[in-house]
C-alpha cells in the first residue's frame, strides 16, 4: 500500500487521535484505539473491563507499541519470517 500525499506517517505510535480522526497501525492496534475511544466516551474503568473481557492487553499509551522498530515509512523492514 502507498501513503497518500497528505499522510504524515508516524512510526513511533500504534494509534493516533487527531481531532475527530482515530487511526491505528494494524489489527491489534485497532483494538487499542477502540479501547481508547471507549475510555473517552465511558471512562478508563469501562475500557479496562472490556479489554479484560476480550482477553486483550490494552496498550493505553500509543507510544508503547512493541513493534515500532519493525517498520519504516509504513513498510515492514526485512522479511516477516525473520521477526
Amino acid at each position: 500500500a502507498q501513503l497518500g500525499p497528505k499522510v504524515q506517517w508516524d512510526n513511533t505510535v500504534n494509534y493516533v487521535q487527531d481531532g475527530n480522526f482515530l487511526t491505528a497501525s494494524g489489527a491489534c492496534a485497532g483494538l487499542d484505539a477502540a479501547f481508547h475511544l471507549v475510555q473517552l466516551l465511558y471512562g478508563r474503568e469501562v475500557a479496562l473491563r472490556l479489554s479484560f473481557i476480550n482477553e486483550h492487553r490494552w496498550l493505553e499509551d500509543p507510544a508503547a507499541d512493541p513493534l515500532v522498530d519493525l517498520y519504516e515509512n509504513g513498510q515492514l523492514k526485512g522479511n516477516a519470517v525473520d521477526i
Side-chain angles (χ1 to χ4, degrees):
Q2 288 187 320
L3 301 177
K6 295 184 179 182
V7 171
Q8 296 176 351
W9 181 264
D10 184 352
N11 68 336
T12 63
V13 295
N14 70 347
Y15 64 90
V16 173
Q17 181 180 358
D18 184 10
N20 291 331
F21 296 96
L22 183 59
T23 60
S25 62
C28 288
L31 286 173
D32 293 328
F35 293 126
H36 172 75
L37 180 61
V38 169
Q39 177 185 19
L40 292 174
L41 296 173
Y42 303 104
R44 183 172 182 266
E45 289 303 315
V46 174
L48 286 170
R49 193 172 311 129
L50 286 175
S51 69
F52 178 78
I53 289 168
N54 285 281
E55 300 178 350
H56 178 77
R57 183 175 160 252
W58 174 30
L59 296 178
E60 294 181 66
D61 179 2
D65 185 354
L67 304 176
V68 69
D69 293 330
L70 299 178
Y71 291 88
E72 184 174 328
N73 296 321
Q75 302 297 318
L76 184 63
K77 293 182 194 175
N79 186 339
V81 174
D82 297 333
I83 300 169

